[in-house]
């Protein structure tokens, strides 16, 4: 491992700042839980000085060390939750061409990544990464800005997002349905969505909520003109004609205007899908389906 700092004193300061940033995050409502890699505590803060040494270092404020010990620290990332590991096993996150598990975990959880302020790149409230995801046998690559902090100043710069993230947190699909019209005012939900959303498993919520917010954000910006799928900030596509011919009944939904439509446009969110139709636009979309990947001629 490469030490985060050139000497022990600088390493101590980096660790102190990291923990103070965690304290600042939890004081702003962020969940009081640290997810770290399996070898996190072995990472050298300075020459021959790692996190285990910092925890035993009497030169460090006792309360600071106690706070760090008190966290519900889980390691390794995601591997202690097999359902999530399976769900996100086909996603990789790259920063500067390096695979990164911490930033991937923040993306998966739609949470915030914390870093030691060891390099200039971490002095930023957003870190741009490349997300590589296998969707229907094809690798889809896209850029994502991961929320991030290495100093409490970064948290203050993101307080609006943090508060919105807390407000949009739900315990289950039923609660999401009860708040859907508040969270996503530009989306018109078909009657079928109520039962679909009520039955969503917990591990689907982050993906579905993220996708609905991005569709809602697109509608807010879509003031005029024709529908532009390239402006939606997530992977979207239409079903093939052969799939529509074979499975059109699974994609036919009764819309709020009283008509029935076959939905083809869909947002791809891991193994989850949101089917939508731009018919009521500009500024609005019909949502016909949320849930597991529907059957296609390639996927049964």
């Amino acid at each position: 491992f490469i030490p985060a700092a050139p000497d022990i004193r600088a390493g101590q300061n980096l660790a102190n700042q990291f923990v103070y940033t965690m304290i600042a995050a939890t004081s702003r409502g962020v969940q009081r839980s640290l997810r770290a890699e399996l070898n996190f505590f072995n990472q050298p803060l300075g020459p021959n000085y790692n996190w285990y040494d910092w925890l035993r270092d009497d030169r460090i404020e006792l309360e600071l060390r106690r706070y760090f010990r008190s966290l519900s620290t889980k390691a390794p990332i995601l591997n202690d939750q097999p359902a999530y590991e399976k769900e996100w096993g086909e996603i990789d996150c790259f920063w500067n061409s390096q695979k990164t598990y911490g930033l991937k975990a923040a993306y998966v959880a739609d949470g915030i990544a914390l870093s030691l302020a060891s390099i200039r790149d971490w002095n930023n409230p957003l870190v741009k990464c490349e997300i590589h995801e296998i969707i229907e046998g094809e690798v889809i690559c896209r850029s994502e800005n991961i929320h991030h902090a290495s100093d409490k100043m970064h948290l203050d710069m993101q307080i609006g997002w943090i508060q919105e993230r807390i407000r949009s947190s739900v315990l289950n699909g039923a609660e999401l349905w009860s708040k859907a019209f508040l969270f996503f005012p530009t989306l018109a939900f078909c009657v079928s969505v109520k039962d679909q959303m009520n039955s969503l498993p917990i591990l689907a919520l982050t993906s579905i909520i993220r996708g609905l917010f991005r569709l809602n954000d697109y509608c807010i910006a879509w003031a005029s003109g024709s529908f532009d799928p390239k402006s939606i900030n997530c992977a979207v596509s239409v079903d093939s004609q052969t799939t529509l011919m074979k499975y059109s009944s699974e994609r036919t939904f009764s819309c709020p205007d009283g008509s029935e439509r076959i939905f083809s446009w869909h947002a791809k969110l891991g193994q989850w899908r949101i089917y939508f139709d731009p018919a009521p636009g500009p500024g609005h979309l019909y949502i016909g389906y949320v849930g597991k990947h529907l059957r296609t001629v390639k996927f049964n």
Side-chain angles (χ1 to χ4, degrees), residues 31-36 67-75:
Q31 186 177 358
R32 195 172 182 269
S33 178
L34 173 67
R35 285 190 163 262
Y67 178 87
F68 193 63
R69 284 196 184 98
S70 72
L71 291 176
S72 176
T73 304
K74 297 179 180 180

Side-chain angles (χ1 to χ4, degrees), residues 18 47 53 55 64 74-75 93 119 124 215 232 241 256 264 287:
F18 181 85
D53 297 315
L55 285 168
L64 203 62
K74 297 179 180 180
C93 178
I119 58 174
N124 201 315
L215 292 173
I232 299 176
Q241 286 301 311
S264 178
I287 304 298

Side-chain angles (χ1 to χ4, degrees), residues 51-246:
W51 278 102
Y52 287 116
D53 297 315
W54 182 88
L55 285 168
R56 296 189 295 262
D57 195 336
D58 291 337
R59 294 168 294 183
I60 306 300
E61 182 183 345
L62 179 59
E63 288 303 314
L64 203 62
R65 290 182 284 140
R66 282 178 174 170
Y67 178 87
F68 193 63
R69 284 196 184 98
S70 72
L71 291 176
S72 176
T73 304
K74 297 179 180 180
I77 292 171
L78 299 180
N79 290 356
D80 57 342
Q81 297 189 34
Y84 281 92
E85 184 181 15
K86 179 182 178 181
E87 163 71 3
W88 295 99
E90 296 185 331
I91 286 183
D92 282 321
C93 178
F94 293 88
W95 174 81
N96 278 4
S97 301
Q98 301 176 50
K99 187 179 291 187
T100 165
Y101 296 100
L103 291 171
K104 172 184 171 177
Y107 170 76
V108 167
D110 199 16
I112 191 163
L114 297 183
S115 299
L116 288 171
S118 55
I119 58 174
R120 182 177 298 178
D121 296 274
W122 302 142
N123 185 24
N124 201 315
L126 295 171
V127 175
K128 180 170 284 190
C129 294
E130 287 290 323
I131 300 295
H132 295 188
E133 182 174 6
I134 300 175
I135 298 177
E136 298 177 1
E138 181 182 359
V139 178
I140 305 297
C141 303
R142 62 185 183 276
S143 294
E144 291 280 352
N145 284 319
I146 310 298
H147 289 269
H148 170 269
S150 63
D151 186 273
K152 63 181 182 179
M153 172 186 64
H154 299 147
L155 298 166
D156 292 334
M157 296 168 69
Q158 302 176 83
I159 192 64
W161 174 81
I162 291 171
Q163 291 173 346
E164 182 60 37
R165 182 71 180 82
I166 293 168
R167 282 195 295 268
S168 63
S169 296
V170 295
L171 296 176
N172 50 49
E175 185 180 358
L176 176 59
W177 173 253
S178 71
K179 296 179 178 180
F181 300 93
L182 175 64
F183 288 168
F184 319 111
T186 69
L187 307 181
F189 294 91
C190 297
V191 293
S192 55
V193 176
K194 179 179 180 180
D195 289 340
Q196 297 160 7
M197 201 170 281
N198 281 335
S199 62
L200 283 175
I202 292 176
L203 64 83
L205 293 178
T206 299
S207 297
I208 295 296
I209 291 171
R210 189 204 315 268
L212 290 171
F213 267 119
R214 294 193 173 181
L215 292 173
N216 189 75
D217 289 344
Y218 166 73
C219 288
I220 291 172
W222 181 25
S224 62
S226 58
F227 173 64
D228 179 14
K230 293 181 180 179
S231 296
I232 299 176
N233 189 24
C234 64
V236 301
S237 67
V238 293
D239 285 316
S240 69
Q241 286 301 311
T242 51
T243 289
L244 292 176
M245 289 175 63
K246 187 172 183 178

